[in-house]
């Protein structure tokens, strides 16, 4: 059986190019300072990165660098290395691309530091929306519009609307290699043991968690260290999506809504109730993403909240529960009328910086990364949901990936992570979420966040 993904579920009917003039603009110098100050992890001697490429440039070759968000422990990085190696062997420009791996926790700090010193690589991984806009406004990024216009086949290969979150003033500045959605993974064997069904309402979800707790099973693995704060805010955002839908998200995005809106406060309180009832692993506020993933993979928890990008890690994790025991579902909405409003957006996008000396070769790499051969490799071997439209052969998907692809039919609209919409304010939301996880008063926490948002707009 073959299926086709031919759209992305847009978070709004208004694209970036229509909204951009409504958003408050900051100078890039000030923004870089704020971003660096908000991330205290530091780069270390190597910035948490490792330079890697299986194909090394010889003395007669031009070397081009691409900075990727990921570590050697991320299974999908193997797929991107294979693609880069294939380009190195076949491109007509005589270019050899070298990969710089940077871990997720270090990426933003390292990139903003490099941007400030004008030492950024030729090609960079980027998040969409407000994050990339900062660098576009600073004239750090090459517009790709003319290259798309000159190659209609390439431009038309992308799923409908998927380039909009990377478009500013009518021009595309980055190319996505996948799209992502927040999902809940679950262990089918544990569910079967206790006679549990996949919940379709929030009340059913609570009942599942209560039953697991009664039987001595930790319901959910959730990472919430300082580096993984976005996962906690993702959980609260998903609850808010199911309480008030996309209207609440859009009002916060365009500044007409308030962070202490009753919908956000209710979401925070529900999350804190779950924390107090012991739905998450012991000491979860000190558990990293890797540790939470391993606990779930080893059968120590029944569920694991993260995103579809974890599919390859769970499929390939050594010593994990058998892969066929792992499936996934969309977090049920608190109010059923908002079912299908899910946290998600375009993902693993790449932009060409103004430092690049061979833009044509860099564009050729982006085309290579998004051709059917490359996207098929990422999908079938690493569970990366494609950004381009082509017939998908279900027989080549892993069971877990097939389950996720089937879930996409239930997604009606996506709301991107707030730290992609506005980096500074989004990071404050992440910090607020961690505070709530640690017991801060929910109303006071969102009142403080709203005050911060108002101080920014002055």
């Amino acid at each position: 059986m073959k299926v086709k993904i031919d759209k992305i579920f847009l978070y709004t009917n208004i694209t970036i190019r229509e909204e951009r003039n409504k958003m408050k603009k900051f100078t890039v110098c000030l923004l870089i300072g704020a971003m660096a100050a908000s991330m205290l992890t530091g780069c270390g001697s190597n910035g948490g990165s490792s330079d890697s490429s299986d194909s090394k440039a010889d003395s007669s070759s031009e070397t081009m660098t691409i900075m990727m968000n990921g570590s050697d422990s991320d299974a999908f990085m193997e797929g991107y290395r294979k693609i880069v190696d294939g380009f190195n062997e076949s491109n007509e420009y005589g270019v050899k691309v070298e990969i710089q791996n940077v871990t997720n926790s270090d990426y933003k700090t390292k990139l903003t530091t490099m941007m400030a010193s004008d030492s950024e690589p030729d090609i960079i991984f980027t998040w969409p929306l407000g994050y990339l806009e900062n660098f576009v406004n600073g004239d750090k990024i090459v517009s790709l519009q003319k290259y798309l216009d000159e190659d209609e086949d390439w431009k038309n290969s992308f799923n409908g609307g998927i380039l909009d979150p990377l478009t500013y003033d009518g021009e595309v500045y980055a190319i996505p290699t996948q799209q992502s959605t927040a999902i809940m993974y679950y262990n089918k064997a544990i569910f079967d043991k206790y006679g549990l069904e996949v919940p379709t309402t929030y009340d059913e979800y609570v009942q599942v968690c209560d039953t697991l707790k009664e039987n001595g099973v930790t319901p959910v693995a959730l990472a919430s260290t300082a580096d993984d704060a976005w996962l906690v805010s993702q959980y609260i955002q998903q609850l808010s999506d199911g309480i008030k839908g996309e209207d609440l998200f859009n009002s916060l995005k365009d500044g007409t809504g308030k962070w202490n809106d009753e919908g956000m406060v209710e979401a925070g309180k529900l999350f804190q109730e779950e924390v107090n009832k012991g739905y998450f692993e012991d000491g979860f506020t000190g558990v990293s993403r890797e540790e939470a993933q391993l606990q779930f993979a080893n059968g120590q928890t029944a569920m694991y909240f993260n995103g579809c990008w974890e599919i390859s890690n769970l499929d390939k994790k050594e010593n994990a529960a058998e892969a066929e025991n792992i499936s996934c579902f969309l977090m049920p909405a608190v109010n059923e009328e908002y079912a299908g409003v899910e946290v998600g957006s375009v993902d693993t996008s790449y932009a060409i910086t103004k430092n690049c000396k061979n833009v044509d070769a860099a564009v050729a790499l982006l085309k290579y990364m998004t051709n059917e051969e490359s996207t098929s490799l990422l999908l079938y071997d690493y569970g990366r949901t494609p950004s381009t439209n082509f017939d998908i052969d279900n027989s080549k998907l892993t069971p877990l990936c097939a389950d996720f692809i089937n879930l996409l039919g239930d997604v009606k609209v996506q709301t991107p992570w707030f730290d992609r919409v506005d980096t500074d304010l989004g990071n404050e939301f992440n910090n607020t979420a961690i505070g709530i996880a640690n017991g801060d008063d929910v109303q006071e926490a969102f009142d403080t966040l709203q005050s911060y948002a108002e101080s920014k707009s002055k």
Side-chain angles (χ1 to χ4, degrees), residues 19-60:
E19 276 289 285
R20 184 170 179 264
N21 290 330
K22 297 180 183 179
M23 299 177 66
K24 183 172 178 67
K25 296 178 177 67
F26 298 90
T27 66
V28 170
C29 290
L30 287 174
L31 172 87
I32 288 172
M35 290 172 69
S38 68
M39 300 173 195
L40 304 179
T41 54
C43 297
S45 59
N46 293 315
S49 67
S50 62
D51 295 340
S52 63
S53 177
D54 291 334
S55 299
K56 301 297 182 182
D58 58 40
S59 59
S60 62

Side-chain angles (χ1 to χ4, degrees), residues 220-244:
V220 183
L222 178 67
S224 58
T225 63
D227 288 340
D228 301 302
W230 61 274
L231 283 167
V232 184
S233 66
Q234 172 184 271
Y235 194 99
I236 295 176
Q237 182 179 341
Q238 186 60 66
L239 288 172
S240 73
D241 282 351
I243 291 171
K244 278 199 160 182

Side-chain angles (χ1 to χ4, degrees), residues 14-21 164 167-171:
I14 305 175
T15 64
I16 290 295
R17 55 182 173 269
E18 294 168 330
E19 276 289 285
R20 184 170 179 264
N21 290 330
D164 287 348
T167 301
Y168 309 87
D169 285 347
E171 297 194 14

Side-chain angles (χ1 to χ4, degrees), residues 263-404:
M264 289 303 297
V265 173
E266 181 182 351
K269 287 182 176 179
L270 284 178
F271 172 65
Q272 198 168 74
E273 286 177 13
E274 295 179 15
V275 173
N276 294 336
K277 290 165 72 173
Y279 284 2
F280 306 103
E281 69 273 27
D282 289 341
F284 84 100
T285 53
V287 174
S288 69
R289 180 182 67 87
E290 292 79 8
E291 291 168 332
Q293 177 202 98
L294 187 60
Q295 287 188 31
F296 170 72
N298 288 342
Q300 295 172 261
T301 69
M303 293 176 281
Y304 172 47
F305 188 69
N306 206 298
C308 63
W309 51 83
E310 290 285 76
I311 289 174
S312 60
N313 289 327
L314 292 170
D315 272 338
K316 297 177 181 296
K317 178 72 72 175
E318 294 181 4
N319 303 318
E322 294 182 5
E324 60 264 27
N325 278 335
I326 298 177
S327 188
C328 55
F329 61 88
L330 298 175
M331 184 76 173
V334 176
N335 297 318
E336 293 183 44
E337 62 185 295
Y338 300 120
V341 181
E342 308 295 328
V343 178
S345 185
V346 300
D347 212 345
T348 322
S349 303
Y350 290 95
I352 300 171
T353 72
K354 289 292 183 73
N355 274 355
C356 184
K357 299 298 190 294
N358 193 336
V359 174
D360 288 343
V363 170
L365 173 61
L366 298 184
K367 289 184 180 182
Y368 190 88
M369 294 176 75
T370 52
N371 68 26
E372 186 167 343
E373 180 181 357
S374 296
T375 51
S376 294
L377 170 70
L378 293 174
L379 173 63
Y380 297 136
D381 291 358
Y382 303 97
R384 311 295 276 186
T385 311
S387 62
T388 54
N389 51 71
F390 63 93
D391 289 335
I392 296 174
D393 188 345
N394 262 2
S395 67
K396 295 181 180 180
L397 299 172
T398 67
L400 179 55
C401 187
D403 289 347
F404 169 69

Side-chain angles (χ1 to χ4, degrees), residues 61 65 78 92 131 136 199 210 227 239 247 322 340 364 408 447:
S61 300
T65 56
E78 178 183 70
E92 62 186 28
Y131 182 85
V136 172
D210 287 343
D227 288 340
L239 288 172
D247 288 345
E322 294 182 5
L408 290 178
D447 286 345

Side-chain angles (χ1 to χ4, degrees), residues 113-127:
T113 300
M114 296 175 82
M115 286 289 190
S117 61
D118 198 30
S119 59
E120 62 271 13
D122 301 277
I123 305 171
I124 58 167
F125 166 98
T126 183
W127 290 277

